[in-house]
Short mmCIF file of all heavy atoms in Angstrom, two decimals:
data_model
loop_
_atom_site.label_atom_id
_atom_site.label_comp_id
_atom_site.label_asym_id
_atom_site.label_seq_id
_atom_site.Cartn_x
_atom_site.Cartn_y
_atom_site.Cartn_z
N ARG A 404 -7.24 -6.40 -73.22
CA ARG A 404 -8.21 -5.36 -73.57
C ARG A 404 -7.67 -4.45 -74.67
O ARG A 404 -6.56 -3.95 -74.56
CB ARG A 404 -8.55 -4.52 -72.34
CG ARG A 404 -9.07 -5.34 -71.18
CD ARG A 404 -9.46 -4.44 -70.03
NE ARG A 404 -9.74 -5.25 -68.84
CZ ARG A 404 -10.54 -4.85 -67.86
NH1 ARG A 404 -11.10 -3.67 -67.92
NH2 ARG A 404 -10.73 -5.62 -66.82
N ASP A 405 -8.50 -4.20 -75.66
CA ASP A 405 -8.09 -3.29 -76.74
C ASP A 405 -8.29 -1.83 -76.35
O ASP A 405 -7.53 -0.96 -76.75
CB ASP A 405 -8.89 -3.59 -78.01
CG ASP A 405 -8.48 -4.90 -78.66
OD1 ASP A 405 -7.34 -5.32 -78.43
OD2 ASP A 405 -9.30 -5.49 -79.37
N GLY A 406 -9.33 -1.53 -75.58
CA GLY A 406 -9.67 -0.14 -75.31
C GLY A 406 -9.20 0.38 -73.96
O GLY A 406 -9.72 1.37 -73.46
N LEU A 407 -8.21 -0.25 -73.38
CA LEU A 407 -7.74 0.17 -72.06
C LEU A 407 -7.12 1.56 -72.13
O LEU A 407 -6.32 1.86 -73.01
CB LEU A 407 -6.72 -0.83 -71.53
CG LEU A 407 -6.28 -0.64 -70.07
CD1 LEU A 407 -7.41 -1.04 -69.13
CD2 LEU A 407 -5.05 -1.49 -69.78
N GLU A 408 -7.51 2.42 -71.20
CA GLU A 408 -7.00 3.79 -71.19
C GLU A 408 -5.73 3.93 -70.35
O GLU A 408 -4.94 4.83 -70.57
CB GLU A 408 -8.07 4.74 -70.63
CG GLU A 408 -9.35 4.77 -71.46
CD GLU A 408 -10.42 5.62 -70.80
OE1 GLU A 408 -10.10 6.31 -69.82
OE2 GLU A 408 -11.57 5.59 -71.27
N THR A 409 -5.55 3.06 -69.36
CA THR A 409 -4.48 3.23 -68.38
C THR A 409 -3.40 2.19 -68.58
O THR A 409 -3.63 1.01 -68.36
CB THR A 409 -5.06 3.10 -66.96
OG1 THR A 409 -6.18 3.96 -66.82
CG2 THR A 409 -4.00 3.47 -65.93
N PRO A 410 -2.20 2.60 -68.99
CA PRO A 410 -1.11 1.62 -69.12
C PRO A 410 -0.72 1.04 -67.78
O PRO A 410 -0.93 1.64 -66.73
CB PRO A 410 0.04 2.47 -69.70
CG PRO A 410 -0.59 3.70 -70.24
CD PRO A 410 -1.80 3.94 -69.39
N LEU A 411 -0.14 -0.15 -67.83
CA LEU A 411 0.38 -0.75 -66.61
C LEU A 411 1.54 0.07 -66.07
O LEU A 411 2.27 0.70 -66.83
CB LEU A 411 0.88 -2.17 -66.90
CG LEU A 411 -0.17 -3.26 -67.09
CD1 LEU A 411 0.50 -4.51 -67.63
CD2 LEU A 411 -0.86 -3.56 -65.78
N PRO A 412 1.72 0.08 -64.76
CA PRO A 412 2.92 0.73 -64.19
C PRO A 412 4.18 0.13 -64.79
O PRO A 412 4.28 -1.07 -64.98
CB PRO A 412 2.81 0.43 -62.69
CG PRO A 412 1.38 0.09 -62.45
CD PRO A 412 0.88 -0.54 -63.72
N ASP A 413 5.13 0.98 -65.12
CA ASP A 413 6.36 0.52 -65.76
C ASP A 413 7.47 1.46 -65.31
O ASP A 413 7.88 2.35 -66.03
CB ASP A 413 6.21 0.55 -67.28
CG ASP A 413 7.27 -0.30 -67.98
OD1 ASP A 413 8.19 -0.76 -67.30
OD2 ASP A 413 7.15 -0.49 -69.20
N HIS A 414 7.93 1.25 -64.07
CA HIS A 414 8.83 2.22 -63.46
C HIS A 414 10.30 1.90 -63.64
O HIS A 414 11.15 2.64 -63.18
CB HIS A 414 8.52 2.35 -61.97
CG HIS A 414 8.82 1.11 -61.18
ND1 HIS A 414 8.03 -0.01 -61.24
CD2 HIS A 414 9.82 0.81 -60.32
CE1 HIS A 414 8.51 -0.94 -60.45
NE2 HIS A 414 9.61 -0.48 -59.89
N ALA A 415 10.62 0.79 -64.30
CA ALA A 415 12.02 0.42 -64.46
C ALA A 415 12.33 0.22 -65.94
O ALA A 415 11.53 -0.39 -66.66
CB ALA A 415 12.33 -0.86 -63.69
N PRO A 416 13.46 0.71 -66.41
CA PRO A 416 13.84 0.46 -67.81
C PRO A 416 14.24 -0.98 -67.99
O PRO A 416 14.57 -1.68 -67.02
CB PRO A 416 15.04 1.40 -68.01
CG PRO A 416 15.64 1.51 -66.65
CD PRO A 416 14.48 1.47 -65.68
N PRO A 417 14.23 -1.49 -69.22
CA PRO A 417 14.69 -2.86 -69.43
C PRO A 417 16.16 -2.99 -69.07
O PRO A 417 16.93 -2.04 -69.17
CB PRO A 417 14.45 -3.09 -70.92
CG PRO A 417 14.43 -1.73 -71.52
CD PRO A 417 13.84 -0.83 -70.48
N SER A 418 16.53 -4.17 -68.62
CA SER A 418 17.93 -4.42 -68.37
C SER A 418 18.73 -4.31 -69.67
O SER A 418 18.19 -4.53 -70.76
CB SER A 418 18.12 -5.82 -67.77
OG SER A 418 17.45 -5.92 -66.53
N ALA A 419 19.98 -3.94 -69.56
CA ALA A 419 20.83 -3.80 -70.74
C ALA A 419 21.37 -5.17 -71.12
O ALA A 419 22.26 -5.70 -70.42
CB ALA A 419 21.96 -2.83 -70.45
N PRO A 420 20.86 -5.79 -72.19
CA PRO A 420 21.33 -7.14 -72.51
C PRO A 420 22.67 -7.11 -73.22
O PRO A 420 23.02 -6.15 -73.92
CB PRO A 420 20.24 -7.64 -73.46
CG PRO A 420 19.75 -6.40 -74.15
CD PRO A 420 19.84 -5.30 -73.12
N ARG A 421 23.45 -8.16 -73.01
CA ARG A 421 24.65 -8.32 -73.82
C ARG A 421 24.27 -8.97 -75.14
O ARG A 421 23.18 -9.53 -75.26
CB ARG A 421 25.66 -9.17 -73.05
CG ARG A 421 25.27 -10.63 -72.87
CD ARG A 421 26.08 -11.25 -71.73
NE ARG A 421 26.02 -12.70 -71.73
CZ ARG A 421 25.01 -13.40 -71.24
NH1 ARG A 421 23.93 -12.78 -70.77
NH2 ARG A 421 25.05 -14.72 -71.25
N ARG A 422 25.13 -8.88 -76.12
CA ARG A 422 24.86 -9.52 -77.40
C ARG A 422 25.03 -11.03 -77.24
O ARG A 422 26.07 -11.50 -76.76
CB ARG A 422 25.81 -8.99 -78.47
CG ARG A 422 25.59 -7.53 -78.80
CD ARG A 422 26.61 -7.05 -79.81
NE ARG A 422 26.47 -7.73 -81.08
CZ ARG A 422 25.67 -7.33 -82.07
NH1 ARG A 422 24.92 -6.24 -81.91
NH2 ARG A 422 25.60 -8.00 -83.21
N VAL A 423 24.02 -11.78 -77.60
CA VAL A 423 24.06 -13.23 -77.44
C VAL A 423 23.54 -13.90 -78.70
O VAL A 423 22.83 -13.30 -79.51
CB VAL A 423 23.22 -13.69 -76.23
CG1 VAL A 423 23.75 -13.10 -74.93
CG2 VAL A 423 21.74 -13.34 -76.42
N ASP A 424 23.87 -15.15 -78.84
CA ASP A 424 23.30 -16.01 -79.87
C ASP A 424 21.99 -16.56 -79.30
O ASP A 424 22.00 -17.43 -78.42
CB ASP A 424 24.27 -17.14 -80.20
CG ASP A 424 23.69 -18.16 -81.18
OD1 ASP A 424 22.56 -17.95 -81.67
OD2 ASP A 424 24.37 -19.18 -81.45
N ASP A 425 20.87 -16.05 -79.79
CA ASP A 425 19.59 -16.44 -79.19
C ASP A 425 19.17 -17.86 -79.55
O ASP A 425 18.13 -18.34 -79.09
CB ASP A 425 18.48 -15.44 -79.53
CG ASP A 425 18.13 -15.39 -81.01
OD1 ASP A 425 18.78 -16.10 -81.81
OD2 ASP A 425 17.20 -14.64 -81.37
N GLU A 426 19.96 -18.56 -80.35
CA GLU A 426 19.70 -19.97 -80.66
C GLU A 426 20.67 -20.90 -79.95
O GLU A 426 20.67 -22.11 -80.20
CB GLU A 426 19.78 -20.20 -82.17
CG GLU A 426 18.73 -19.44 -82.95
CD GLU A 426 18.73 -19.80 -84.43
OE1 GLU A 426 18.70 -21.00 -84.74
OE2 GLU A 426 18.77 -18.88 -85.25
N ALA A 427 21.50 -20.37 -79.05
CA ALA A 427 22.48 -21.19 -78.35
C ALA A 427 21.80 -22.26 -77.50
O ALA A 427 20.69 -22.05 -76.99
CB ALA A 427 23.37 -20.31 -77.48
N ARG A 428 22.48 -23.40 -77.34
CA ARG A 428 21.95 -24.51 -76.54
C ARG A 428 23.01 -24.97 -75.56
O ARG A 428 24.20 -24.72 -75.74
CB ARG A 428 21.57 -25.68 -77.44
CG ARG A 428 20.63 -25.35 -78.56
CD ARG A 428 20.53 -26.51 -79.55
NE ARG A 428 19.90 -26.08 -80.79
CZ ARG A 428 19.96 -26.76 -81.92
NH1 ARG A 428 20.63 -27.93 -81.94
NH2 ARG A 428 19.39 -26.32 -83.01
N VAL A 429 22.54 -25.66 -74.54
CA VAL A 429 23.45 -26.33 -73.62
C VAL A 429 23.03 -27.80 -73.54
O VAL A 429 21.86 -28.13 -73.78
CB VAL A 429 23.42 -25.71 -72.20
CG1 VAL A 429 23.81 -24.24 -72.25
CG2 VAL A 429 22.04 -25.86 -71.56
N VAL A 430 23.98 -28.65 -73.22
CA VAL A 430 23.68 -30.08 -73.04
C VAL A 430 23.64 -30.36 -71.54
O VAL A 430 24.57 -30.02 -70.81
CB VAL A 430 24.73 -30.96 -73.73
CG1 VAL A 430 24.51 -32.43 -73.37
CG2 VAL A 430 24.66 -30.77 -75.24
N VAL A 431 22.56 -30.94 -71.11
CA VAL A 431 22.40 -31.34 -69.71
C VAL A 431 22.64 -32.84 -69.63
O VAL A 431 21.86 -33.63 -70.17
CB VAL A 431 20.99 -30.98 -69.19
CG1 VAL A 431 20.83 -31.42 -67.73
CG2 VAL A 431 20.72 -29.48 -69.33
N PRO A 432 23.73 -33.28 -68.99
CA PRO A 432 24.05 -34.70 -68.94
C PRO A 432 22.98 -35.52 -68.24
O PRO A 432 22.32 -35.05 -67.30
CB PRO A 432 25.37 -34.74 -68.17
CG PRO A 432 25.94 -33.37 -68.31
CD PRO A 432 24.77 -32.46 -68.35
N GLY A 433 22.81 -36.74 -68.68
CA GLY A 433 21.83 -37.62 -68.07
C GLY A 433 22.23 -38.04 -66.66
O GLY A 433 23.37 -37.91 -66.25
N GLY A 434 21.24 -38.53 -65.95
CA GLY A 434 21.47 -38.98 -64.59
C GLY A 434 20.32 -38.57 -63.68
O GLY A 434 19.42 -37.85 -64.08
N PRO A 435 20.35 -39.03 -62.44
CA PRO A 435 19.27 -38.71 -61.51
C PRO A 435 19.42 -37.32 -60.91
O PRO A 435 20.52 -36.75 -60.87
CB PRO A 435 19.42 -39.79 -60.44
CG PRO A 435 20.90 -40.07 -60.43
CD PRO A 435 21.36 -39.93 -61.85
N PHE A 436 18.30 -36.79 -60.45
CA PHE A 436 18.30 -35.56 -59.65
C PHE A 436 17.09 -35.62 -58.75
O PHE A 436 16.21 -36.48 -58.90
CB PHE A 436 18.30 -34.32 -60.54
CG PHE A 436 16.92 -33.88 -61.00
CD1 PHE A 436 16.32 -32.75 -60.47
CD2 PHE A 436 16.22 -34.61 -61.95
CE1 PHE A 436 15.06 -32.35 -60.88
CE2 PHE A 436 14.96 -34.21 -62.38
CZ PHE A 436 14.38 -33.07 -61.84
N VAL A 437 17.04 -34.71 -57.80
CA VAL A 437 15.91 -34.65 -56.87
C VAL A 437 14.90 -33.63 -57.39
O VAL A 437 15.21 -32.45 -57.51
CB VAL A 437 16.37 -34.29 -55.45
CG1 VAL A 437 15.15 -34.14 -54.52
CG2 VAL A 437 17.32 -35.34 -54.92
N MET A 438 13.70 -34.11 -57.68
CA MET A 438 12.63 -33.24 -58.18
C MET A 438 11.67 -32.93 -57.05
O MET A 438 11.37 -33.78 -56.22
CB MET A 438 11.89 -33.95 -59.32
CG MET A 438 10.88 -33.08 -60.05
SD MET A 438 10.30 -33.91 -61.54
CE MET A 438 9.25 -32.64 -62.26
N GLY A 439 11.19 -31.70 -57.01
CA GLY A 439 10.29 -31.28 -55.95
C GLY A 439 11.05 -30.91 -54.69
O GLY A 439 12.27 -30.81 -54.68
#
């Protein structure tokens, strides 16, 4: 909604993030796992 008068409740500040490489990746090795 563009014309909303009432903001959503926001009672907690954002968590304090550490400095990270936001393009970092991890490799997940192949193999079976249990899904579901």
Side-chain angles (χ1 to χ4, degrees):
R404 303 183 190 205
D405 289 335
L407 189 72
E408 299 175 9
T409 309
L411 285 169
D413 198 351
H414 66 286
S418 298
R421 68 199 195 280
R422 294 176 65 88
V423 299
D424 175 4
D425 65 357
E426 297 186 50
R428 306 169 194 164
V429 301
V430 173
V431 179
F436 85 107
V437 176
M438 188 170 184

